[in-house]
Amino acid sequence: MDLLIKLLDAQWDINGVPILWREIIGNGFGLVFAYAGLKRVVWAWPVGIAGNILLFTVFLGGVFNTPQDLDLYGQAGRQVMFLSISVYGWWRWARLRATAGEGEAAFQPRWATGKERLLLLALAVGGTVLFAWIFTALGSWGPWADAWIFVGSALATWGMARGWTEFWLIWIAVDIVGVPLLWAGGYYPSAVLYLVYGVFVTYGFITWARMQKNDDAPVPTSEVREPEHVSA
């Protein structure tokens, strides 16, 4: 138990600002999760789950006695949400990988349909309003931004599990709100990761979009060979 407490309380002092190692490590797992998701490999999900568990203890600062001593219920709650959706994503990608050929990725990304996009929009607006009210009642610090980060993260993770290319765009919208919120709250490693993550997910979106474009492109005429004549 003493060893566990020491690991939870381990800090790194940067110019007089205490930073928890579990915040740094948890965010590191998050970055690995994003890279593995870009590559469409199944082990992305368990890596993400490990990061979720660590970051849950970070964002309930008042409960776990972090240096910030702030309770970001949306940030903490989204780790539980991440874990739940990640179990589904892990199961779904594993099934798809089992049917894929040797050396192939688990699945082929696609654009969401019109109905799926409308559903995402409705959930984004309605969910943000609902959770902003809930987080305000709970006394969360920055409830509206916290609510969007929570809802947007849920939709992005769900979109990733479904293989929708739009999930990268949702992550970009989450990062735009998350960086200033976390920096203002003193969660500097998380804020920096969000900034790095914003660049990374932009690259991820371009990569997945190109995959779809290449798969949809017709085969050039010059590459189509006529069948060879067989001599009698």
Side-chain angles (χ1 to χ4, degrees):
M1 183 62 70
D2 290 341
L3 178 60
L4 178 60
I5 293 174
K6 287 181 180 180
L7 289 174
L8 288 174
D9 291 340
Q11 298 180 8
W12 185 20
D13 189 88
I14 303 177
N15 293 328
V17 179
I19 304 296
L20 289 170
W21 272 107
R22 53 191 153 107
E23 183 180 358
I24 298 172
I25 295 171
N27 281 307
F29 278 134
L31 193 57
V32 174
F33 166 73
Y35 175 77
L38 172 64
K39 296 297 184 180
R40 297 169 291 158
V41 293
V42 177
W43 58 260
W45 298 103
V47 170
I49 289 172
N52 300 150
I53 294 171
L54 284 174
L55 291 176
F56 175 79
T57 69
V58 171
F59 291 119
L60 281 185
V63 176
F64 289 94
N65 194 29
T66 65
Q68 296 86 358
D69 198 31
L70 296 174
D71 288 326
L72 287 176
Y73 292 105
Q75 291 288 325
R78 83 179 189 136
Q79 306 307 321
V80 179
M81 171 275 300
F82 275 148
L83 198 153
S84 302
I85 300 179
S86 293
V87 171
Y88 164 71
W90 191 355
W91 169 80
R92 188 169 189 275
W93 281 29
R95 286 189 62 195
L96 293 171
R97 181 68 190 87
T99 60
E102 186 66 28
E104 295 181 3
F107 64 94
Q108 177 61 32
R110 68 174 178 87
W111 297 111
T113 64
K115 288 184 179 180
E116 289 166 343
R117 289 178 180 178
L118 287 175
L119 176 61
L120 286 172
L121 180 60
L123 290 174
V125 174
T128 300
V129 172
L130 173 62
F131 281 100
W133 176 76
I134 293 173
F135 294 156
T136 299
L138 290 173
S140 183
W141 190 78
W144 280 94
D146 211 11
W148 162 242
I149 292 172
F150 177 82
V151 174
S153 298
L155 295 177
T157 308
W158 181 42
M160 176 178 169
R162 300 298 300 175
W164 299 337
T165 302
E166 287 89 346
F167 94 88
W168 296 104
L169 297 178
I170 301 175
W171 273 129
I172 292 173
V174 169
D175 294 335
I176 289 173
V177 175
V179 170
L181 174 72
L182 293 171
W183 190 267
Y187 294 95
Y188 302 118
S190 297
V192 170
L193 177 75
Y194 268 48
L195 191 60
V196 173
Y197 200 60
V199 176
F200 185 84
V201 296
T202 301
Y203 170 73
F205 171 72
I206 294 172
T207 301
W208 276 33
R210 283 177 177 172
M211 287 180 193
Q212 294 177 239
K213 184 177 180 181
N214 291 337
D215 286 347
D216 293 339
V219 179
T221 306
S222 59
E223 295 184 10
V224 178
R225 296 184 179 180
E226 294 294 332
E228 296 181 1
H229 296 286
V230 180
S231 302

